Each structure stands twice: as structure tokens, then as C-alpha cells.
Amino acid sequence: MTATLDHVFAALADPTRRAILAMLLEDDMAVTDVAEPFEMSLAAISKHLTILTKAGLISQEKRGRVKWCKLEPNALKDASVWMQAFGQFEPVNLDAFEKFLEQELTDDAQAS
């Protein structure tokens, strides 16, 4: 479980990956659609998606010629359980997580 938690927290540490997760809260997306709002290459986005996939936060599947990304809603369960052990944190609520991600994106955009 420790290795899994390390991957989850490492994946969440990057603002681009958090933004991708926020986008996937809405619906599944093609990789090219995920890449569209970012000013980086498709290869760079693919690396971010690989990290999110290895952490179990998203899954990817090929449909025809298009690779699709899907948020894995139970992926944060182990992290939530781990944080609850400290008695200071509530279970991860995806609605609250979405609001957190939106605030992070707003803060990042204002800082730029």
C-alpha cells in the first residue's frame, strides 16, 4: 500500500496533473482533448497521463484510433483511509475534491 500511496501523492503534487483530473471529473476525454488547453506538447501530456495511470487515478483505453482517458473514482480510497488514520481528515469527497481542484486552478491562473 505504501508504494501505491507514494504514486498517488506524487501524481497529485503536480498542478498540470491536478488540472487533468479536474477535467476528467466532467467526462471521459480523448488524449488530444486533454492536451488542448495546455501549452505543452502532446508527448509531455502523455507523460503526465502515464504518471496518473500508474498511480491508478485514471485509466486509458483505445477506442478505434483514439486513446481515451477516464477518471477512476475509487483511486483515492487508500489515500483517504491513510489520512483518516490521523483523525484530522474527512473521507475524500469527490465533490469537495473537484472544488479544491477548481480553486487550485484559479489560484494558479491568477499567479501567472
Side-chain angles (χ1 to χ4, degrees), residues 11-29:
L12 293 174
D14 184 85
T16 300
R17 291 191 287 269
R18 291 192 305 268
I20 291 169
L21 290 175
M23 292 166 52
L24 292 174
L25 280 170
E26 299 296 321
D27 200 5
D28 299 357
M29 296 179 76

Side-chain angles (χ1 to χ4, degrees), residues 23 28-38 42 66-68:
M23 292 166 52
D28 299 357
M29 296 179 76
V31 171
T32 53
D33 294 333
V34 170
E36 187 176 309
F38 299 100
L42 189 57
V66 179
K67 189 179 262 190
W68 286 81

Side-chain angles (χ1 to χ4, degrees), residues 51-83:
I51 291 168
L52 290 169
T53 301
K54 286 182 180 178
L57 296 170
I58 68 167
S59 59
Q60 296 184 61
E61 74 172 305
K62 198 153 189 169
R63 298 180 198 162
R65 294 185 190 178
V66 179
K67 189 179 262 190
W68 286 81
C69 301
K70 176 184 177 184
L71 185 67
E72 291 298 327
N74 294 322
L76 293 174
K77 185 176 180 180
D78 287 342
S80 176
V81 168
W82 182 82
M83 289 186 290

